[in-house]
Amino acid sequence: MDVTTPANAPWLIVGLGNPGPGYAMNRHNVGFMVVDLLADRMGGRFKRAAKAQAQVVEGRMGPPGPDSRRVVLVKPMSYMNLSGGPVNALRDFYKVPLANIVAVHDELDIDYGVLRLKLGGGDNGHNGLKSMTKAMGPDYHRVRFGIGRPPGRMQVADFVLKDFSSVERKELDYCVDRAADSVECLLAEGLERAQSAYNS
């Protein structure tokens, strides 16, 4: 299924994570890392949203001219398991169709650094997705950033709230850059093209 919403409708690109410096390099915060990079590319700086517990950057993505997209980058400041409230408030404020929302998040069931883009689906136990789906329904886009499964008997909650390992960090900048590219491709060329280019 491809995007059929009006070309002038804005997009919400939601990076999922937890606020505060203690969480900044956690695996669970890779969504924040991706939208931070997109903000850098757009030349914008995050500021507190007036209508929601979130930080936002407003701008345009894509080539200059009529083909560029209106974009609001979002970092919910509510903690992961309450992400749906701020996102839904911003969706109402900016009048964003559900299909123009993209959640960028960590994914346990995909190997580290591998990307999967899709529209709709379950939450696979991810508290951020669970909260968004409860608030809005499931039919938004997802950019799933693989972090792999925890080693040995480590609990999932401990694994996702740990920083990326030193080995993982060697590839992290490249992987985050590629995830940001996939978001730009999704907006410019649609889901099927983005999937064929980035689903590996």
Side-chain angles (χ1 to χ4, degrees), residues 3 18 38 41 45 72 77 95 105 132 140 147 177 179:
V3 179
N18 288 305
L38 288 168
R41 292 181 180 183
R45 297 185 64 173
V72 183
M77 293 287 113
K95 297 178 172 51
H105 64 93
M132 285 182 60
Y140 51 90
I147 60 170
D177 194 68

Side-chain angles (χ1 to χ4, degrees), residues 30 72 77 91 187 190:
V30 73
V72 183
M77 293 287 113
R91 175 196 174 202
L187 269 61

Side-chain angles (χ1 to χ4, degrees), residues 1 5 7 49 60-61 87 92 94 98 130 139 143 173 191:
M1 181 175 176
T5 47
R60 301 194 79 88
M61 189 177 287
V87 175
D92 288 344
Y94 289 104
L98 189 55
K130 195 176 295 183
D139 297 327
V143 174
D173 286 349
L191 179 60

Side-chain angles (χ1 to χ4, degrees), residues 62-159:
D67 291 335
S68 70
R69 305 285 191 220
R70 288 175 58 210
V71 170
V72 183
L73 305 176
V74 181
K75 293 196 290 188
M77 293 287 113
S78 56
Y79 289 97
M80 182 71 82
N81 61 342
L82 299 172
S83 301
V87 175
N88 201 33
L90 291 169
R91 175 196 174 202
D92 288 344
F93 178 69
Y94 289 104
K95 297 178 172 51
V96 178
L98 189 55
N100 276 28
I101 295 176
V102 183
V104 185
H105 64 93
D106 57 304
E107 177 59 63
L108 286 160
D109 286 339
I110 302 174
D111 289 340
Y112 173 67
V114 173
L115 297 176
R116 292 276 190 279
L117 284 76
K118 69 174 187 173
L119 176 62
D123 57 57
N124 201 24
H126 192 288
N127 287 332
L129 296 180
K130 195 176 295 183
S131 180
M132 285 182 60
T133 296
K134 184 178 179 182
M136 304 181 299
D139 297 327
Y140 51 90
H141 287 87
R142 298 101 187 278
V143 174
R144 305 156 74 206
F145 186 111
I147 60 170
R149 301 294 303 186
R153 298 184 179 182
M154 184 185 291
Q155 295 295 311
V156 166
D158 294 332
F159 180 67

